[in-house]
Amino acid sequence: MAETFEPTSIIVTGGCGFIGSNFVRWVVENHPGVRVTVLDKLTYAGNPENIAGLPEDRVRLVVGDICDEALLEGLVPGHDAVVHFAAESHNDNSIADPEPFVRTNVVGTYRLLEACRAHDVRYHHVSTDEVYGDLALDDPARFTEETPYRPSSPYSSTKASSDMLVRAWHRTYGVRATISNCSNNYGPYQHVEKFIPRQITNILCGIRPKLYGDGKNVRDWIHTEDHSSAVWAILTRGRVGETYLIGADGERDNITVLRDVLRAMGRPEDDFDWVRDRPGHDRRYAIDPTKLRTELGWEPRHTDFESGLMATIEWYREHEAWWRPAKEATEARYAAQGQ
Ligand SMILES: NC(=O)c1ccc[n+]([C@@H]2O[C@H](COP(=O)([O-])OP(=O)(O)OC[C@H]3O[C@@H](n4cnc5c(N)ncnc54)[C@H](O)[C@@H]3O)[C@@H](O)[C@H]2O)c1
């Protein structure tokens, strides 16, 4: 068992995005002795509303770019850890325009690693199971920490590249780093471009939901709060230099999730349109979280997907002012791609 690490002051990059803001709120609620500096560029995916209302003496927002070397040089010293969520995160966007993905996901990670190396600051890297490529639908295997990297999309290849940098900076320079690779997240505050919020907000807008491919692609769903608690467990109790996979045994194919949403919102199960598939679309992701569970004793709390989904639908119903401004532009982008 690793020694426990007890940070009192952390930087959370991408803390105005979907998962980063959940982590900030989770830390504020569960660890009263910790102060958080959020570093976020506020791209189209970042919204300061996501962390509004948190106590000002606990959470400070710095608007800036993780690629900005001078900014990091001023900001990183004096913090105990950097927890790195910031990324360009949407596969479909990476296919349309990969350059911001290379910049933020690869160069940004390099800059943060260099800053943590210079000031001996603990670093946790938030990554995705998509670095492992995909599994066949009938393959009994799940991803483990030993699975070879085989990314398919510009998004997952830039995340894979960033993971490699972290491993090298730990091994070569002794940066005190850990990595987590998590499965697909759902919950409140997720951008309307992503699969579940897109379907929910389409129905709320009176638009028929859209399903791409044959609907059989399998994702392994985890509630974002469970992702947050897992990242904290790894940051504070994980072994430096190690990778931990985060998943909550939530495998479901897309058509099942869409039918769950339709049913929960009182619509007929076939009330959706088929659209053109994503090029290179991964078939199935599945995480074996044994290492995280046995070594760190982590357990997910949201184990009932249907009730987590109901609560998420309710959240979108009650927060139209939060998602409405992004909806039209997002659907226009999908329409231009035939999706
Ligand atoms: N969404 C998922 O299902 C999922 C699953 C596994 C891992 N992840 C990883 O979790 C992390 C967070 O994902 P998310 O879904 O919350 O993403 P998101 O797109 O909702 O948020 C990304 C945040 O990063 C900020 N950002 C982008 N570029 C930046 C830059 N150059 N400098 C500073 N800030 C910048 C954005 O403004 C935004 O607030 C990512 O690293 C992603 O790869 C996501």
Side-chain angles (χ1 to χ4, degrees):
M1 192 71 168
E3 275 179 35
T4 307
F5 171 62
E6 293 177 353
T8 58
S9 167
I10 63 175
I11 293 176
V12 176
T13 72
C16 292
F18 164 47
I19 306 172
S21 66
N22 186 280
F23 181 75
V24 173
R25 293 193 304 275
W26 190 90
V27 169
V28 167
E29 212 168 287
N30 291 284
H31 297 280
V34 180
R35 275 175 298 112
V36 180
T37 304
V38 171
L39 172 58
D40 199 298
K41 186 178 169 184
L42 301 182
T43 67
Y44 79 95
N47 186 345
E49 280 293 306
N50 299 3
I51 53 167
L54 297 176
E56 282 173 20
D57 59 339
R58 301 274 316 278
V59 179
R60 172 169 73 115
L61 171 60
V62 175
V63 178
D65 191 329
I66 56 167
C67 299
D68 183 339
E69 187 181 358
L71 172 69
L72 296 183
E73 186 50 37
L75 197 65
V76 170
H79 289 90
D80 300 322
V82 170
V83 186
H84 179 32
F85 289 90
E88 287 292 337
S89 68
H90 191 45
N91 262 308
D92 293 314
N93 295 346
S94 82
I95 294 165
D97 180 13
E99 188 165 339
F101 288 74
V102 174
R103 193 176 168 280
T104 287
N105 299 358
V106 184
V107 178
T109 297
Y110 159 71
R111 288 285 173 224
L112 288 166
L113 284 167
E114 281 293 80
C116 288
R117 169 159 91 102
H119 301 287
D120 189 24
V121 169
R122 171 84 167 81
Y123 175 89
H124 179 73
H125 187 70
V126 176
S127 191
T128 165
D129 61 354
E130 300 189 29
V131 299
Y132 300 115
D134 60 355
L135 297 160
L137 294 181
D138 58 357
D139 189 338
R142 299 195 290 175
F143 300 136
T144 73
E145 288 77 8
E146 311 310 322
T147 303
Y149 275 39
R150 206 166 53 85
S152 316
S153 73
Y155 164 65
S156 55
S157 65
T158 58
K159 292 298 290 187
S161 309
S162 68
D163 294 9
M164 295 298 155
L165 294 181
V166 179
R167 289 180 184 195
W169 261 243
H170 166 68
R171 172 125 185 207
T172 305
Y173 301 119
V175 171
R176 292 177 291 129
T178 40
I179 299 175
S180 54
N181 298 84
C182 187
S183 59
N184 273 57
N185 285 223
Y186 75 98
Y189 294 98
Q190 188 167 28
H191 195 278
V192 291
E193 69 190 354
K194 300 292 194 326
F195 184 73
I196 289 178
R198 184 179 184 212
Q199 313 301 356
I200 296 171
T201 54
N202 271 1
I203 295 171
L204 292 175
C205 291
I207 305 170
R208 275 161 71 91
K210 314 278 180 239
L211 185 60
Y212 41 25
D214 58 7
K216 298 216 172 90
N217 304 62
V218 172
R219 300 293 176 257
D220 191 352
W221 292 98
I222 182 173
H223 195 282
T224 183
E225 247 169 51
D226 288 329
H227 189 178
S228 292
S229 67
V231 167
W232 183 261
I234 298 163
L235 174 71
T236 56
R237 306 198 304 279
R239 280 179 295 142
V240 161
E242 292 290 313
T243 292
Y244 295 85
L245 264 52
I246 305 173
D249 304 314
E251 276 189 71
R252 264 178 180 67
D253 61 21
N254 286 344
I255 193 162
T256 303
V257 173
L258 177 53
R259 287 190 170 136
D260 285 347
V261 171
L262 284 162
R263 217 177 313 111
M265 296 182 76
R267 309 290 313 159
E269 285 191 359
D270 60 355
D271 190 16
F272 65 87
D273 296 324
W274 294 100
V275 291
R276 192 169 70 84
D277 204 2
R278 169 190 289 169
H281 203 175
D282 282 340
R283 281 308 261 176
R284 171 174 163 251
Y285 306 131
I287 289 264
D288 177 352
T290 303
K291 179 174 172 182
L292 176 65
R293 283 176 179 249
T294 54
E295 196 179 303
L296 304 184
W298 172 85
E299 293 288 338
R301 290 186 50 210
H302 298 265
T303 47
D304 178 353
F305 179 78
E306 275 76 20
S307 74
L309 185 63
M310 280 305 281
T312 304
I313 292 170
E314 273 321 298
W315 189 89
Y316 281 90
R317 255 195 234 285
E318 287 163 10
H319 292 80
E320 183 171 343
W322 180 88
W323 56 262
R324 177 61 80 172
K327 184 65 184 168
E328 208 175 307
T330 303
E331 285 307 312
R333 239 185 350 258
Y334 274 122
Q337 291 162 197
Q339 295 173 327

